[in-house]
Amino acid sequence: MPNAQNLSVAFVGSGGAGALTAGSLLLEAAGAAGWQGLLIRTVGPQIRGGEAAAVVRLADHPVESLPDHLDLLIGIDWLNAQRFGAEIEVGPHSLVIGDPRGGEPPKGIAAFGAPIVAIPMKDMAKAIPDGRPNMIALGIAGKLLGLGEPAFLALFEKWFADKGQAAIDASRASLKAGYEAARDLDLGRPIVPPKAGSTQKKWLVSGNEAAALGAIRGGIRFAAAYPITPATEILEWLAPNLAKVGGALLQAEDELAAINMIIGASYGGTPALTATSGPGLSLMIEALGLATAAEIPIVVIDVMRGGPSTGIPTKSEQADLNIAVYGCHGDAPHLVLAPQSVGDCLFTTQWATYLAETLQTPAIVLSDQFVGQNHAIIERPAEIAFLGQRSRAAEAAGEYKRYALAANGVSPMAIPGIRGAQYTADGLTHTERGIPTSGAADHQIQLDKRRDKLERFNYGDHWASIEGTGNLAVIAWGSVTGAVREAIARAAEDGIEVSLIAPRLLSPARPEQFAAALRGKKRALIVEQSHGAQFHRYLRAHYDLPAAVRVLNRPGPLPIKPGEIHRAIKDWRL
Amino acid sequence: MSTAKTQLACKPADYKSDIKPIWCPGCGDYHVLMSFTRAFAELGLPPEQIVVVSGIGCSSRIPAYTNCYGFHGVHGRSLAVGAGLKVTRPDLTVVVASGDGDGYSIGGNHFLHACRRNVDMTYVVMDNHIYGMTKGQPSPTTEPEFDTALSPGGTGLRPFHPLVIALASGANFIARCFSGEPNETASVLVEAIRHPGFSFVEILSPCVTFRPDEKNWKNLVHPAPVVATDDPAKAARRIMTDDGFNIGILYRGDRKPYAPETGQALVELSELEKEFEL
């Protein structure tokens, strides 16, 4: 039986039916009532004519992963719902509501044996001027989750202000009709509203928005980018907000231009960022090597989607690890980091900006569609002090050496305008002065310098999430970390102690710290959303693992759910 | 002291670095470098306020040969680097240097969009109608019948017309120069740098190694018989019908440069998170 403090609802409809709007409103209203939660949007690549589903998961604690099963599924229509296949799972305890005129329900729903309650949302909407079936569905969900109508009414004022009073009235009437239609229904168990008690402010934010805010807090004041799903929200948030803080965003003609624009801005002294997805990162790789060689700090957020090639633009996968870590030609060490939840997108991007500026090197932030596009209600993240401040050269009277050797490998950078320190930044192998050379000694010296500055830096405890004490360690990264945490919590309820090691810093590798984290662990379960088990191979390349290793890996688009990981833990009894 | 030196920095030699260029003897690019330093001296700009940005190719070696700030990046992307730099540092003078391969082939898309975007910078393309650094392959401006190892019997392709494309794409200043006339070229560069918006200067710069026939360019070039126009239609006719050796400023537009306001924060950072609060 699902926990009463942990509820999951899905709205399904054809593209344009308003399933995502209903989900967003439900999450926001639940947040106002004290719930924490996650809105998982799943859509086809088409804007309309495709399929859309919004899964809202609510709890009295942070929610970082999909539910295993739904408590409530509302089919506004079923026209394209079969395309979701295994993504929408119902169980015998699920309540399924559908419009009898909304087409055939997908086969999977009948297979689970859950009865379908018929509510004619389309016909009911027709009886209301400008009535909308999705708002009726929202009313049904609101009633079943024990949310009060007034919370929604206030939201309509805010959401539909620019659509006029008629739209607000139509939504209200539709919502009421939904409440009325669900009057005699229930989820078969009591709903316990979360205790009001936490004084901590709550945020409703997506990972993409959180990453963008983290970037500005870290000091980013220029962005250039080319629109791409699922990263575009970062750009659309940055465009107005960078302008507010004295920065700017330039829409580039392609990703090649985007990364070179930010390199130009950063060379001029302005911390700069681009955001993209796999296809764009592929195009940026050459310039990433340039920024590495010329020691120019930049931040590149890759919101990963299914690949290779165009892949699955709207769905998540963790398969850009190889290109992010190893993609450059030559030996080109740079930073690769990965956020582990919606809220962590803020921290990780801010930290990445700080590290890039401090170490004068590119930082790739490997977010993904799951944490990037999903919205979460979270406690306001604590403010952190990381502000990118690069070491700058002063006015020089003599010969300035841009790439002078230093104990920590970081040499003060001259910014155009500084008198007497003129130099040419170069992608050619260069001397300490920056003059091109093909000499073996200079090549070796500068390769050492760029490696050492990354490896000798003290990254502190942020390099990984290390939790728990069991001698079975689940090793994961990025967005699957949330599902792993939940699985570990469930295993603890069974009396199985399991620990977690989730590196936030993927490059440079931290062999000493990793060995310390693994001390005493006898088994490792590696969890990742990649067909080629890229993370497992990465771990093998850089770290010593225990003798007993199992790998739970799968490509997107199906998310790895807590239940699967929990099963893998339970099945591996000694 | 550097201060004193900068105050007196009005001689071309003050803009030249101590690095010896690695161009072939007789290369037109030596004269382009001379034109750069003469133009900078005439403008009286402190060298640290100038950035010369380039991509890859013989011509793109030029930044390090100046005493200005320089950026020698990857092949074909110099205009993007220049745009990012100028938008965030409007106080700097940005000159982007390129060649016909770097600028018109691998960097062709950026050329269109740089003209269209109209950021206030100067784009100098040293056009020798050949890939010199890789030893003699056809470039977008190579004549169709020109025989090379990579294109036996010639490419058979119509050459790219950079000035027409610049005009159609929205460049705000268009000129053609000949490297063998460094004083005239320097004067055009001074005007190009002073002109607001995106200025495009195509410099015919012979490759004496792989195109010895280009030594004859000095006999073919001639000053444009007319003054610069601000009428794109007139400029189009002029550029499309001339013989390719018409030297001078051919178009001077008055489009407003692209320059977003930067530097002034309008709100406190803590304001930005308000939209997320429930």
Side-chain angles (χ1 to χ4, degrees):
Chain A
M1 258 317 263
N3 185 334
Q5 296 291 74
N6 193 336
L7 292 160
S8 297
V9 181
F11 298 99
V12 172
S14 46
L20 297 180
T21 304
S24 299
L25 283 161
L26 183 67
L27 181 72
E28 196 165 341
W35 294 89
Q36 295 191 53
L38 185 67
L39 167 68
I40 301 116
R41 32 173 290 169
T42 161
V43 293
Q46 308 88 346
I47 300 301
R48 273 171 197 273
E51 66 279 15
V55 178
V56 179
R57 192 169 179 212
L58 304 174
D60 58 356
H61 52 78
V63 181
E64 295 177 353
S65 62
L66 267 174
D68 291 303
H69 299 291
L70 295 169
D71 299 299
L72 172 63
L73 169 62
I74 305 181
I76 300 166
D77 66 63
W78 302 114
L79 295 180
N80 298 307
Q82 73 283 355
R83 289 192 210 159
F84 287 116
E87 286 175 73
I88 307 286
E89 280 190 56
V90 292
H93 302 292
S94 307
L95 175 61
V96 182
I97 294 171
D99 190 324
R101 286 186 50 203
E104 277 295 302
K107 288 191 186 82
I109 288 173
F112 277 102
I116 298 180
V117 175
I119 297 183
M121 289 170 268
K122 205 172 212 173
D123 287 344
M124 288 164 64
K126 276 189 190 143
I128 299 164
D130 293 329
R132 295 278 313 221
N134 66 328
M135 291 296 134
I136 295 173
L138 180 64
I140 296 167
K143 164 69 178 64
L144 286 166
L145 297 180
L147 296 167
E149 281 184 61
F152 291 104
L153 301 183
L155 284 180
F156 292 158
E157 301 274 356
K158 187 175 102 181
W159 274 59
F160 304 130
D162 57 344
K163 292 189 175 173
Q165 192 57 42
I168 296 170
D169 291 343
S171 293
R172 282 179 172 171
S174 303
L175 183 92
K176 275 182 193 299
Y179 266 83
E180 184 60 28
R183 194 180 46 196
D184 299 326
L185 296 173
D186 64 60
L187 291 177
R189 60 202 171 82
I191 307 292
V192 185
K195 292 186 204 80
S198 168
T199 51
Q200 183 69 32
K201 268 188 201 160
K202 295 261 180 23
W203 281 12
L204 172 56
V205 69
S206 73
N208 279 345
E209 291 165 336
L213 176 61
I216 290 184
R217 283 195 182 169
I220 296 291
R221 288 298 178 273
F222 180 72
Y226 189 74
I228 187 168
T229 303
T232 308
E233 296 87 4
I234 296 178
L235 316 174
E236 290 181 338
W237 194 87
L238 280 175
N241 285 293
L242 272 174
K244 285 183 202 163
V245 296
L249 179 140
L250 240 168
Q251 182 177 334
E253 54 270 30
D254 54 33
E255 286 91 347
L256 304 164
I259 189 163
N260 281 282
M261 284 172 174
I262 66 167
I263 289 172
S266 180
Y267 166 83
T270 306
L273 166 146
T274 189
T276 188
S277 189
L281 182 65
S282 296
L283 290 174
M284 292 178 182
I285 287 293
E286 184 194 22
L288 207 74
L290 168 65
T292 303
E295 301 195 45
I296 297 170
I298 51 168
V299 177
V300 177
I301 305 177
D302 171 14
V303 186
M304 294 183 287
R305 65 193 217 183
S309 190
T310 313
I312 312 179
T314 53
K315 312 243 169 163
S316 210
E317 196 167 72
Q318 294 184 299
D320 292 355
L321 179 62
N322 281 349
I323 189 177
V325 177
Y326 310 114
C328 291
H329 64 269
D331 288 304
H334 55 270
L335 298 159
V336 180
L337 303 94
Q340 301 175 345
S341 66
V342 169
D344 192 36
C345 287
L346 192 158
F347 173 85
T348 299
T349 310
Q350 183 171 350
W351 192 42
T353 306
Y354 162 79
L355 291 176
E357 288 288 319
T358 303
L359 296 167
Q360 299 181 14
T361 196
I364 300 177
V365 177
L366 284 180
S367 173
D368 64 23
Q369 186 274 334
F370 188 86
V371 290
Q373 289 197 315
N374 290 336
H375 283 74
I377 296 169
I378 54 173
E379 296 201 333
R380 178 182 181 274
E383 278 187 50
I384 48 169
F386 291 121
L387 173 66
Q389 275 172 328
R390 84 180 74 150
S391 165
R392 289 195 179 200
E395 191 167 312
E399 191 181 79
Y400 166 66
K401 288 185 174 174
R402 166 67 186 98
Y403 303 105
L405 301 184
N408 64 2
V410 178
S411 31
M413 181 172 176
I415 300 302
I418 295 175
R419 194 173 295 169
Q422 294 96 300
Y423 77 102
T424 293
D426 209 315
L428 282 166
T429 288
H430 43 256
T431 65
E432 286 184 69
R433 251 190 85 191
I435 296 167
T437 173
S438 50
D442 284 313
H443 191 52
Q444 175 87 41
I445 287 168
Q446 293 295 322
L447 285 169
D448 286 348
K449 174 186 190 289
R450 295 194 295 262
R451 177 197 59 200
D452 292 347
K453 71 177 178 180
L454 296 189
E455 292 193 352
R456 289 178 186 165
F457 187 76
N458 179 4
Y459 298 90
D461 294 337
H462 303 299
W463 79 276
S465 296
I466 299 167
E467 298 162 12
T469 54
N471 69 22
L472 165 60
V474 181
I475 309 177
W477 73 285
S479 70
V480 302
T481 307
V484 170
R485 277 204 183 95
E486 188 168 336
I488 289 175
R490 289 192 207 171
E493 287 172 19
D494 306 335
I496 310 171
E497 263 195 274
V498 178
S499 52
L500 168 73
I501 303 174
R504 185 178 281 107
L505 179 70
L506 294 152
S507 187
R510 305 277 78 205
E512 277 175 38
Q513 288 85 344
F514 199 91
L518 263 184
R519 204 157 293 144
K521 312 294 183 224
K522 299 203 161 43
R523 297 173 293 154
L525 172 65
I526 295 158
V527 181
E528 59 174 311
Q529 198 182 15
S530 136
H531 182 259
Q534 294 183 13
F535 183 57
H536 177 216
R537 291 165 194 275
Y538 156 90
L539 291 171
R540 291 277 184 203
H542 298 282
Y543 302 125
D544 292 326
L545 298 180
V549 169
R550 287 188 184 177
V551 183
L552 170 55
N553 71 296
R554 189 174 62 215
L558 293 185
I560 299 179
K561 293 184 179 178
E564 289 173 76
I565 305 166
H566 181 209
R567 263 195 307 281
I569 292 169
K570 278 205 299 191
D571 290 350
W572 197 2
R573 301 302 292 269
L574 290 176
Chain B
M1 278 298 291
S2 60
T3 313
K5 189 179 168 190
T6 304
Q7 282 165 356
L8 297 172
C10 52
K11 296 193 302 292
D14 295 324
Y15 297 90
K16 216 173 158 310
S17 79
D18 55 3
I19 299 170
K20 191 176 170 292
I22 47 164
W23 287 319
C24 302
C27 175
D29 294 351
Y30 284 103
H31 288 107
V32 177
L33 175 60
M34 201 184 288
S35 308
F36 269 42
T37 58
R38 285 180 193 179
F40 296 158
E42 190 175 333
L43 288 161
L45 293 165
E48 70 272 12
Q49 285 295 328
I50 304 170
V51 184
V52 183
V53 179
S54 70
I56 295 293
C58 297
S59 53
S60 287
R61 304 295 295 231
I62 204 167
Y65 306 150
T66 74
N67 188 35
C68 306
Y69 276 92
F71 189 100
H72 184 207
V74 295
H75 201 16
R77 319 292 167 218
S78 54
L79 284 171
V81 173
L85 176 61
K86 181 67 186 184
V87 163
T88 49
R89 288 291 306 276
D91 57 308
L92 299 172
T93 296
V94 177
V95 177
V96 179
S98 187
D100 39 316
D102 190 65
Y104 305 149
S105 189
I106 191 168
N109 190 34
H110 308 304
F111 180 40
L112 305 184
H113 289 276
C115 293
R116 176 179 161 245
R117 195 173 281 119
N118 201 29
V119 170
D120 184 18
M121 58 187 185
T122 299
Y123 186 41
V124 178
V125 178
M126 290 159 246
D127 189 351
N128 56 14
H129 301 188
I130 196 80
Y131 282 83
M133 187 166 269
T134 49
K135 302 191 171 155
Q137 296 79 30
S139 87
T141 49
T142 301
E143 299 77 356
E145 65 281 1
F146 186 77
D147 186 56
T148 75
L150 193 60
S151 58
T155 61
L157 300 177
R158 178 194 150 113
F160 184 89
H161 201 322
L163 282 73
V164 173
I165 288 173
L167 183 72
S169 307
N172 214 25
F173 178 104
I174 297 171
R176 188 191 283 122
C177 298
F178 173 53
S179 61
E181 298 170 342
N183 284 332
E184 290 80 354
T185 302
S187 304
V188 171
L189 288 175
V190 166
E191 294 210 39
I193 290 168
R194 282 188 179 142
H195 194 77
F198 186 78
S199 299
F200 171 54
V201 181
E202 148 109 346
I203 304 182
L204 297 171
S205 180
C207 174
V208 295
T209 303
F210 298 103
R211 293 296 305 262
D213 56 306
E214 290 174 354
K215 288 178 186 165
N216 190 44
W217 277 359
K218 64 176 182 288
N219 301 314
L220 299 177
V221 295
H222 53 85
V226 285
V227 292
T229 174
D230 61 357
D231 177 354
K234 239 187 230 173
R237 168 163 285 278
R238 183 181 293 173
I239 294 168
M240 290 193 80
T241 57
D242 78 11
D243 60 358
F245 292 96
N246 204 14
I247 300 301
I249 299 167
L250 302 171
Y251 175 70
R252 224 193 275 262
D254 57 2
R255 285 176 64 216
K256 198 167 165 283
Y258 177 81
E261 287 285 326
T262 56
Q264 275 298 333
L266 309 173
V267 301
E268 293 290 322
L269 271 193
S270 55
E271 287 293 307
L272 299 185
E273 67 179 65
K274 293 241 161 92
E275 68 175 280
F276 304 131
E277 287 171 6
L278 276 178

